Amino acid sequence: MAKDFLQIEGLGRDELERLLADAARNLPIAEQKVARKESLAGRVVANMFFEDSTRTRCSFETAVHRLGGEVFNLTESGSSTRKGETLVDTALNVEAMGVSAIVVRTSVSGGAALVARRVRCPVINAGDGRHEHPTQGLLDLLTLREALGKLEGRVIAIVGDIANSRVARSAIHGLVTFDARVRLVGPPTLVGESFRRITNRHDLVTIHHDLDAILDDLDAIMMLRIQTERAAGGAVAGDYREMYGLTPARAARLPGHAIVLHPGPVNRGVEIDDTVADDLPRSRILRQVTQGVAARMAVLERVLAEAGTTGSLAA
Ligand code: NCD
């Protein structure tokens, strides 16, 4: 594995399998069934979150704690970014404090890679603009495999603002690596034909604008939020819920075994209705969050092992 963890695109199946297996081993710790580890003892991780976050930031924090390390958070408000300091300069300063890894969230697509090129410590991408959200990709794969077993030949729909979704990009790359079939669904303004060619597995990805036409044979459906902060709101005409919302009537048409995913934050009554979001065990939305802690533990351990900085400081 490379120094950093920046994207799912380009990761081989073996590498993904290793990370998923590591995450599965960490899951009992994330679930608090087993005591925490000490693999990050004496290490400090910096969370640099320059875009809003609830799940990702807190689960990286939790993951560091569960590995016996320490973590501090830097957000845009309250940091010198507001005084004109660049992302890279901030990261270089944070590194100079002696952190072992930097977790970056930024609205700039490619921003995590920019930081990674300049600092020596490992950088983990926690979502960069429209580009990728690779730890989300891992937790989605973990949740899907837990429910469905092998992903080969499985049919997964991703519904909503594909154009602006880093979650979708990471999921698509991960899913085709395991030979799953991906249906991208949404209004033509947000799901253009070009998304078929987002990976080199054109055979596995199809584009759809009619959600009602594709519900019957799905193994899973991932609902996405319209990324209004990326100016996507205006691109959606009419009543979104009516055309693309996962209503109880639509959920009733899914096969019995099909599961529902959503990366959060959920806009209830828009892309998904209350009763569907809360319909356990079909809805795996909170399970995704737990799997996210295990996934982030695995990635933190992996990048620090590559950098030779796990274990005790004296080692
Ligand atoms: C997503 C994100 O920030 O990319 N949330 C998350 O990390 N779980 C999705 C979103 O904001 O809609």
Side-chain angles (χ1 to χ4, degrees):
M1 190 160 132
K3 169 176 89 77
D4 311 291
F5 187 70
L6 301 176
Q7 56 185 41
I8 299 282
E9 182 175 8
L11 292 186
R13 195 164 172 155
D14 289 353
E15 205 158 1
L16 275 177
E17 281 288 8
R18 267 199 304 277
L19 282 166
L20 296 176
D22 291 348
R25 273 191 292 276
N26 282 325
L27 184 61
I29 305 175
E31 292 175 319
Q32 297 191 76
K33 291 180 181 157
V34 172
R36 72 172 204 182
K37 286 199 215 168
E38 296 299 334
S39 54
L40 262 65
R43 306 292 160 191
V44 178
V45 173
N47 256 349
M48 284 179 46
F49 274 65
F50 292 163
E51 235 191 21
D52 292 344
S53 175
T54 300
R55 277 150 292 273
T56 308
R57 184 168 64 79
C58 296
S59 67
F60 266 109
E61 270 187 70
T62 306
V64 173
H65 291 308
R66 298 259 180 261
L67 296 172
E70 287 164 85
V71 57
F72 69 83
N73 287 289
L74 202 61
T75 55
E76 191 162 31
S77 75
S79 77
S80 288
T81 320
R82 284 272 172 90
K83 300 179 187 169
E85 187 169 83
T86 66
L87 182 65
V88 167
D89 275 333
T90 306
L92 286 167
N93 280 268
V94 164
E95 178 173 48
M97 293 168 202
V99 302
S100 297
I102 300 179
V103 180
V104 178
R105 168 167 286 197
T106 166
S107 59
V108 180
S109 302
L114 271 179
V115 173
R117 272 199 292 275
R118 294 294 301 282
V119 299
R120 279 170 287 112
C121 70
V123 172
I124 299 172
N125 181 8
D128 61 329
R130 298 177 174 84
H131 172 229
E132 276 218 39
H133 191 350
T135 56
Q136 178 77 37
L138 286 183
L139 75 87
D140 288 335
L141 290 173
L142 286 164
T143 309
L144 287 163
R145 294 227 300 198
E146 181 177 58
L148 304 174
K150 270 179 78 168
L151 295 181
E152 186 179 345
R154 294 291 196 173
V155 185
I156 322 292
I158 307 179
V159 184
D161 187 359
I162 309 292
N164 296 291
S165 173
R166 53 199 178 203
V167 173
R169 275 177 186 68
S170 291
I172 296 166
H173 287 294
L175 287 168
V176 302
T177 304
F178 289 103
D179 295 314
R181 288 156 57 200
V182 183
R183 294 189 174 158
L184 303 178
V185 190
T189 42
L190 299 180
V191 190
E193 284 297 322
S194 61
F195 284 99
R196 269 204 70 201
R197 296 184 294 279
I198 197 167
T199 75
N200 55 14
R201 295 299 307 274
H202 307 167
D203 54 319
L204 292 175
V205 182
T206 51
I207 307 295
H208 307 264
H209 305 304
D210 182 358
L211 177 58
D212 292 304
I214 59 113
L215 292 168
D216 299 331
D217 68 343
L218 297 181
D219 295 297
I221 184 165
M222 180 191 295
M223 307 308 295
L224 299 175
R225 183 179 65 87
I226 300 293
Q227 306 274 298
T228 41
E229 72 276 33
R230 300 191 216 293
V236 185
D239 184 346
Y240 185 83
R241 176 180 174 272
E242 203 165 293
M243 291 188 76
Y244 296 106
L246 193 55
T247 58
R250 287 196 173 108
R253 289 192 41 216
L254 295 168
H257 70 276
I259 62 163
V260 173
L261 305 180
H262 193 308
V266 172
N267 286 150
R268 289 169 177 260
V270 184
E271 70 270 12
I272 189 167
D273 280 11
D274 281 334
T275 49
V276 183
D278 299 333
D279 176 19
L280 301 174
R282 166 164 275 184
S283 168
R284 300 292 166 107
I285 297 173
L286 293 177
R287 188 63 180 160
Q288 289 175 274
V289 179
T290 306
Q291 291 282 11
V293 176
R296 286 160 185 137
M297 290 170 75
V299 170
L300 283 161
E301 285 189 316
R302 189 52 70 100
V303 295
L304 291 182
E306 288 289 319
T309 50
T310 42
S312 77
L313 280 171

